[in-house]
Amino acid sequence: MARGSGGQTMGRKTKILIGALVVVVIGVGVYALDKFLDAIKIELPEYQATKKTVWLDQNISKDELRWFYHADQGTRTFGIPFEWFMALEQPVISLTAVGLFSEPAYLDRYGFIPDTIEPKKQALPIGFAAGGTISDPLGRPWRNPRSKQDMTGFGLTCSACHTGRFTYNDTNVVIDGGPALINLFSLKRGLGVSLLLTRYVPFRFGRFADHILGPDASHGDRKMLKHQLDLVLNQYGESKKLEDSVAPLSILEGYGRLDALNRIGNQVFSTDLNIPKNYAASSAPVHYPRIWNTPWFDWVQYNGSIMQPMVRNAGEALGVSAELNLTDPSKGLYKSSVQVDTLHNIESMIKGDPPNADRGFTGLKSPKWPDILPPIVDTLAAQGAELYKSHCQECHRPPVTSKEFFENSKWWTKNEAGEPILIMENVPISHVGTDPAQAEDMINRTIELPSNLGIKPYAFGFALRDLVENTVNFWYDQQKPPTSKEERAKTNGYMPNLVRGEFAYKVRSLNGIWATPPYLHNGSVPTIDALLGPADERPKTFYLGNREYDPEKLGYRYDKLTNGFEYNTSLRGNSNRGHEFTDDKKAYGRVGPALSPSDRKALI
């Protein structure tokens, strides 16, 4: 039967598409077509749109939040310019145009929160920032092949990982400073596939080139743009080789978790130094921590390993791929794109004024239970307060709203400026019994370094301390005039640059804990109710990526989510044991007696 013109057109397009796929396979030269198609398939959850988004009052103004969400920290997370990111299409094989990768609704499926704090302004999701210039994969200024203009740097900020949210009754609730539900690994993989398709699928590169160069760009300009794409794809390929080399020891991270310290180490000690043997497996993913009150802690990180705020924040910027020169002395060792002044301003906003018994903590405050959720039952809460005092307060201390919290001198010290600093107790893992991988792997990791860096090739944590300090000091020295000793002390948070490695985890106050699921440092327990109950009854597998909040159990729903992340607690790094309430006094990780269902409800 003869086909109509529409059928002929469709037939031609199908042939072209098949030909394009063959070109892609030839281009990568690795997979057979079926394996290749499976390898580039990006499967993400579908979420039902909510009717509205609300922000809770956490003592930070809308103007401050808008700045915080998009303040450029100098990160170059994805290895491409901002202009490219805004022009890339979603990683779907098609000859016709598909949606842009940068569409907020699409990025929302990776867990990134659309920034609707000012609805009339179209913006990138919370945690994306553009600013400054970017270097290409060879370390040269990255310029538009046609206009010769510098391309714009682009990456994630700390708000990407430290802004939480949940949905309830068709409302999206944003938790500033809370743990994010992002899947960064999947996002970078999706970008890699999008770049690959842009390079090899017919028509797609043409649309991309029109965005970047303009529709009337010359053949030479388009050829140079393809060359730039090749450089980026080669860089992505090298990263994948490193990931594949440690894959047998790696634990998948999924939504809301990242092996942050190991990934920072991989970036600076392997990628930036070009030393593959320094690349380590992502063996201990942790739940993104809440950050309210943390500027006043004497030690941060789950294992209480870092003291100085600037080293913590600059290390985070380096870990999400701020540019850093560790190989070319002629360009200045430790020269970076890190924006130290921006990091200090973010820390100051979160920090607020020194806390005391009269005003408590200022700056970014923990969220209060909102009206959108069922009301608190006062009689139960009163019973729970007594149970908390009996079973929890010894480690987690009194509520931060109480005078008792501030008046016990054993819990407080002072920084170099005489400001109050809260002492964080590191509890031995032998006592609390939670998964040891995060603390253990930081203690055991070692690295190799070239002598010209001036850092001894020794334990990972101490080498990272020195590297980040040298990077920050380079920034101070390059200011005009160089940053004064007094200003450096202030920017460093009036804290010394100390690091320690202990087989222990930090314990902190529980204000706002209701808004920070899942629980334990590795996110292995989905609800507070499960955490307070018998350890044997905690879910052995559950899904991460759900956003619907359960106010009865305090946590996200964790039933099956299509294309969500299945969390397996039997894997090293993922254990949900420890912090157990049991009457068996010999039980490993026992922290108190068994709690009845009514006790758990009162504590909740």
Side-chain angles (χ1 to χ4, degrees), residues 283-284 429 434-442 503 505 521 572-573:
S283 55
I429 294 174
T434 48
D435 191 288
Q438 197 268 335
E440 187 173 62
D441 289 3
M442 181 173 174
F503 201 59
Y505 290 128
H521 74 277
R572 181 183 185 273

Side-chain angles (χ1 to χ4, degrees), residues 46 58 75 193 229 338 350 412 436 443 451 468 485 504 515 531 541:
E46 296 276 0
Q58 294 183 247
T75 61
V193 172
L229 265 169
V338 174
I350 295 168
W412 294 89
I443 293 171
S451 60
V468 178
K485 181 179 179 181
L531 184 64
T541 61

Side-chain angles (χ1 to χ4, degrees), residues 70-134:
H70 307 291
D72 176 32
Q73 298 172 200
T75 61
R76 308 290 182 254
T77 312
F78 311 112
I80 60 173
F82 173 67
E83 294 85 355
W84 282 29
F85 183 78
M86 298 303 291
L88 287 172
E89 296 174 11
Q90 294 166 19
V92 177
I93 297 177
S94 172
L95 291 178
T96 58
V98 297
L100 292 175
F101 201 106
S102 57
E103 290 177 4
Y106 180 67
L107 292 172
D108 184 37
R109 296 175 67 190
Y110 292 97
F112 292 90
I113 306 169
D115 181 2
T116 58
I117 195 168
E118 294 180 38
K120 294 182 180 180
K121 292 187 178 181
Q122 282 294 107
L124 286 166
I126 291 170
F128 287 76
T133 59
I134 185 173

Side-chain angles (χ1 to χ4, degrees), residues 261-456:
L261 285 175
N262 268 334
R263 289 202 176 274
I264 292 171
N266 288 345
Q267 178 65 41
V268 298
F269 294 130
S270 182
T271 302
D272 292 333
L273 271 174
N274 193 25
I275 302 179
K277 67 177 66 177
N278 281 339
Y279 204 87
S282 297
S283 55
V286 297
H287 174 230
Y288 294 113
R290 58 198 186 275
I291 60 173
W292 46 78
N293 308 150
T294 54
W296 300 106
F297 295 172
D298 63 343
W299 292 95
V300 295
Q301 303 297 341
Y302 280 113
N303 60 343
S305 58
I306 297 175
M307 177 170 279
Q308 189 187 99
M310 181 50 67
V311 163
R312 176 231 305 157
N313 294 332
E316 172 264 328
L318 292 172
V320 284
S321 305
E323 293 175 10
L324 175 64
N325 175 42
L326 297 177
T327 57
D328 188 349
S330 68
K331 295 181 180 180
L333 290 180
Y334 297 109
K335 180 180 180 181
S336 76
S337 61
V338 174
Q339 299 297 302
V340 171
D341 50 352
T342 301
L343 295 176
H344 173 61
N345 290 335
I346 290 173
E347 183 78 7
S348 298
M349 182 199 77
I350 295 168
K351 188 174 186 178
D353 297 322
N356 59 39
D358 293 327
R359 64 184 171 215
F361 288 102
T362 61
L364 177 65
K365 291 193 172 184
S366 54
K368 293 182 179 179
W369 187 262
D371 292 338
I372 189 175
L373 296 176
I376 294 171
V377 179
D378 291 337
T379 52
L380 272 179
Q383 295 173 30
E386 292 302 314
L387 288 165
Y388 178 87
K389 190 172 182 179
S390 300
H391 302 310
C392 311
Q393 185 165 301
E394 181 180 354
C395 288
H396 292 287
R397 298 181 185 165
V400 300
T401 53
S402 67
K403 287 188 177 296
E404 184 183 0
F405 178 84
F406 291 95
E407 291 175 350
N408 191 325
S409 61
K410 294 180 180 179
W411 299 337
W412 294 89
T413 185
K414 295 183 182 295
N415 63 17
E416 295 164 356
E419 297 171 329
I421 294 294
L422 188 60
I423 297 172
M424 294 285 104
E425 181 184 2
N426 246 19
V427 178
I429 294 174
S430 60
H431 171 70
V432 72
T434 48
D435 191 288
Q438 197 268 335
E440 187 173 62
D441 289 3
M442 181 173 174
I443 293 171
N444 292 337
R445 185 175 180 180
T446 58
I447 53 169
E448 295 184 16
L449 297 173
S451 60
N452 68 327
L453 288 183
I455 299 175
K456 295 178 181 179

